[in-house]
Amino acid sequence: MPSMMKFALPALAAAGTAYAASCSTSATMTIQNAGDASALASCSTFTGNIAIATGTTDDIVLDGMQKLNGDLIATNNSNMKRISAADLEQLDGEMLLDGLTRLVGVDFPKLKNIDSIKWNALPNLQNLGFTAEVEQAKKIDIQNTALRSLKGINIEQIDTVFIANNGYIDEIAMQLGNVTKSLTLADNNKNVKVQLPNLIWASNLTFRFCGSVEVPSLQSLNGSLGLYNNGFETFSAPNLTSVGEAVALVANENLSNITFPMLTKINDNLQIANNSKLIEIAGFPNLKSIGGAFDMSGNFSSVETPELNSVKGAFNLQSTDNVTESCSFYKPLHDKKFIQGGYKCEGKLVDPAGQGHTGTKQPGDKTGAATSLSAVNGALGLAAMAAVLLL
Ligand SMILES: *[C@@H]1O[C@H](CO)[C@@H](O)[C@H](O)[C@H]1NC(C)=O
Ligand SMILES: *[C@@H]1O[C@H](CO)[C@@H](O)[C@H](O)[C@H]1NC(C)=O
Ligand SMILES: *[C@@H]1O[C@H](CO)[C@@H](O)[C@H](O)[C@H]1NC(C)=O
Ligand SMILES: *[C@@H]1O[C@H](CO)[C@@H](O)[C@H](O)[C@H]1NC(C)=O
Ligand SMILES: *[C@@H]1O[C@H](CO)[C@@H](O)[C@H](O)[C@H]1NC(C)=O
Ligand SMILES: *[C@@H]1O[C@H](CO)[C@@H](O)[C@H](O)[C@H]1NC(C)=O
Ligand SMILES: *[C@@H]1O[C@H](CO)[C@@H](O)[C@H](O)[C@H]1NC(C)=O
Ligand SMILES: *[C@@H]1O[C@H](CO)[C@@H](O)[C@H](O)[C@H]1NC(C)=O
Ligand SMILES: *[C@@H]1O[C@H](CO)[C@@H](O)[C@H](O)[C@H]1NC(C)=O
Ligand SMILES: *[C@@H]1O[C@H](CO)[C@@H](O)[C@H](O)[C@H]1NC(C)=O
């Protein structure tokens, strides 16, 4: 196959730098080797997609190009070690790097503006060579790399962030102010320290297997907040006032202190489950309304939401401990129809669980004995019943 260098001949641009040329290709231009790449050096602007052939073994150097109006694609190449573009400032397309098993260098020292980054299966890529720091992007999806940090990506506003299965990333800090669709950080290093000091508004936020999460400025969420399997003991959203969809805190094994001091409204469910060390819930002092279900199960001794006066969905509070006092607050809310859905509030259960679960009373608990008694009523003689009642 001849090398496919079919693109419009460079035309000297009237304005700009002394030697600025615009090049374009209608189809995707495929680069086979270092020579093909250096042939583009005179193209300060390139319009069209650039793909690196799967068989390429050379390092690919795209110096000279300042702007790429298209995608930069390298997939399924087990030999290429480095890709760089010393002058590229803007990439109006996707940088798709997928299945590059030997890749060790991605060096774009001037890149600041990119439409999207989609990286996957880059097991030898440890460092991001984004010296100038990428400040603008719509979408970032980075999975299965050996990256140590995301230093070099410092976006203020973005639609989607998905960073998952990067086992060595132990710090994620960004200037992010807004996330218009979703931010998901999942299954990276389990000690990963997440700091989003300027994040004010987001649609969905999901944190799985994070070591710590700080969102001091967060004020509102249009979507949901999900915290799953995280290692931290404390979670606080000191400025969060409303959540457009749900709040879920599930299976955070060390979580013992949650604080949402300003939160007044959750439009969908509030779910808290399988956080073994969460004993007291006092972190919702201003929560007034829940548009979906109130669903909590765990080892609680006390659950307090003193301002709550509206639950549109079901109410479920199940605990291994005695929650009689907490239930004495919620029962009247149900009686007054402030809790509109089904109602269950029960402590001293062996197996507290989510809404819809019946629950088994701990042995030796009097109320439990009565419940099981009525269930087997017909099968027992009077003497046996008396014996049970005397337990
Ligand atoms: C890469 O290879 C995998 C499996 O061999 C294949 O499924 C995938 O479509 C390839 N990707 C591209 C972009 O060629
Ligand atoms: C976030 O979004 C709001 C409303 O859309 C906007 O006013 C604000 O400037 C944005 N902040 C940043 C840091 O982009
Ligand atoms: C937000 O999360 C919810 C629940 O997981 C999902 O239904 C919704 O589509 C998500 N929205 C966005 C913008 O990702
Ligand atoms: C919390 O919100 C208030 C008012 O909405 C704002 O003045 C304050 O700066 C915010 N705090 C942080 C840490 O962002
Ligand atoms: C977020 O919610 C606000 C008010 O609840 C609404 O005005 C805005 O359009 C929503 N944004 C998105 C992206 O859904
Ligand atoms: C919970 O804390 C224990 C003891 O500090 C620690 O060994 C464990 O890794 C933590 N769990 C998670 C998910 O980080
Ligand atoms: C819980 O966390 C909040 C905020 O981080 C803190 O102010 C409070 O002292 C903590 N409570 C306990 C009992 O540790
Ligand atoms: C809590 O853990 C139990 C037992 O592992 C599991 O069956 C249940 O689905 C978990 N609950 C949630 C909400 O994930
Ligand atoms: C209660 O705590 C025990 C012991 O830590 C744990 O095994 C169990 O999963 C916890 N139950 C719930 C519902 O969190
Ligand atoms: C639970 O605590 C209440 C007082 O708060 C007490 O009256 C009740 O007997 C306790 N129930 C059990 C089963 O220990």
Side-chain angles (χ1 to χ4, degrees):
M1 283 290 284
S3 172
M4 54 349 339
M5 301 300 290
K6 279 197 204 117
F7 60 95
L9 283 172
L12 286 177
T17 51
Y19 189 63
S22 293
C23 313
S24 64
T25 177
S26 51
T28 293
M29 158 130 119
T30 306
I31 289 176
Q32 306 281 357
N33 51 46
D36 288 355
S38 58
L40 298 179
S42 61
C43 301
S44 62
T45 297
F46 188 94
T47 302
N49 300 331
I50 296 178
I52 294 158
T54 54
T56 306
T57 52
D58 295 350
D59 289 353
I60 297 300
V61 178
L62 288 165
D63 290 359
M65 193 181 294
Q66 292 168 12
K67 182 170 178 190
L68 172 58
N69 283 316
D71 299 338
L72 177 61
I73 302 164
T75 58
N76 288 357
N77 180 320
S78 55
N79 293 306
M80 190 175 64
K81 293 199 180 64
R82 293 180 180 277
I83 177 167
S84 65
D87 304 301
L88 196 69
E89 291 167 12
Q90 187 168 347
L91 199 165
D92 288 338
E94 181 174 72
M95 186 191 292
L96 170 62
L97 305 180
D98 192 347
L100 309 178
T101 47
R102 295 232 178 104
L103 191 74
V104 294
V106 176
D107 294 304
F108 291 72
K110 291 191 178 161
L111 188 64
K112 282 180 111 65
N113 201 321
I114 187 167
D115 192 72
S116 69
I117 292 174
K118 188 166 166 58
W119 292 0
N120 181 44
L122 311 174
N124 281 301
L125 185 67
Q126 299 189 8
N127 298 304
L128 264 173
F130 291 167
T131 321
E133 296 203 327
V134 170
E135 287 174 353
Q136 277 188 39
K138 291 199 181 75
K139 191 169 177 185
I140 293 178
D141 180 338
I142 298 180
Q143 299 183 55
N144 301 295
T145 72
L147 287 172
R148 267 41 182 178
S149 92
L150 291 179
K151 196 163 161 33
I153 296 181
N154 200 358
I155 315 274
E156 278 187 18
Q157 182 160 2
I158 199 163
D159 292 345
T160 310
V161 180
F162 192 92
I163 313 265
N165 293 303
N166 303 285
Y168 299 96
I169 295 186
D170 57 13
E171 188 178 347
I172 297 178
M174 283 191 229
Q175 293 309 306
L176 269 182
N178 287 345
V179 174
T180 50
K181 290 199 176 115
S182 64
L183 175 137
T184 306
L185 305 179
D187 308 272
N188 298 299
N189 188 290
K190 83 178 187 64
N191 295 319
V192 67
K193 202 173 154 193
V194 177
Q195 287 175 305
L196 302 169
N198 301 330
L199 183 64
I200 292 172
W201 172 75
S203 194
N204 280 356
L205 290 183
T206 307
F207 301 100
R208 284 184 196 269
F209 292 101
C210 292
S212 69
V213 173
E214 285 174 32
V215 286
S217 307
L218 185 64
Q219 287 181 16
S220 71
L221 289 175
N222 277 45
S224 299
L225 172 66
L227 302 174
Y228 305 91
N229 308 99
N230 296 291
F232 42 74
E233 291 165 21
T234 298
F235 179 80
S236 173
N239 243 6
L240 183 62
T241 56
S242 71
V243 176
E245 290 173 3
V247 173
L249 288 83
V250 176
N252 302 288
E253 67 176 20
N254 291 331
L255 188 63
S256 61
N257 181 4
I258 53 176
T259 321
F260 293 82
M262 311 280 274
L263 186 62
T264 57
K265 189 172 182 202
I266 297 172
N267 282 336
D268 202 334
N269 300 343
L270 169 58
Q271 182 192 27
I272 297 186
N274 289 349
N275 306 289
S276 311
K277 300 205 174 126
L278 193 56
I279 308 300
E280 281 183 22
I281 296 184
F284 297 97
N286 287 304
L287 182 62
K288 292 184 178 63
S289 78
I290 294 177
F294 176 114
D295 190 1
M296 296 190 186
S297 54
N299 290 321
F300 320 121
S301 63
S302 155
V303 174
E304 284 175 21
T305 54
E307 296 293 318
L308 188 70
N309 62 19
S310 172
V311 177
K312 293 259 160 54
F315 181 96
N316 177 65
L317 170 54
Q318 299 190 22
S319 180
T320 47
D321 206 342
N322 185 344
V323 282
T324 305
E325 268 185 43
S326 299
C327 296
S328 70
F329 173 80
Y330 296 109
K331 180 70 168 48
L333 293 185
H334 181 242
D335 294 343
K336 286 188 264 184
K337 305 242 184 316
F338 291 174
I339 290 170
Q340 297 175 23
Y343 178 83
K344 182 176 181 73
C345 193
E346 202 161 10
K348 292 278 173 193
L349 294 174
V350 178
D351 56 349
Q355 186 204 329
H357 172 80
T358 311
T360 309
K361 274 285 180 186
Q362 287 165 10
D365 185 80
K366 292 202 183 88
T367 33
T371 311
S372 52
L373 182 67
S374 61
V376 294
N377 222 350
L380 288 174
L382 275 176
M385 278 170 73
V388 171
L389 284 169
L390 288 170
L391 275 178

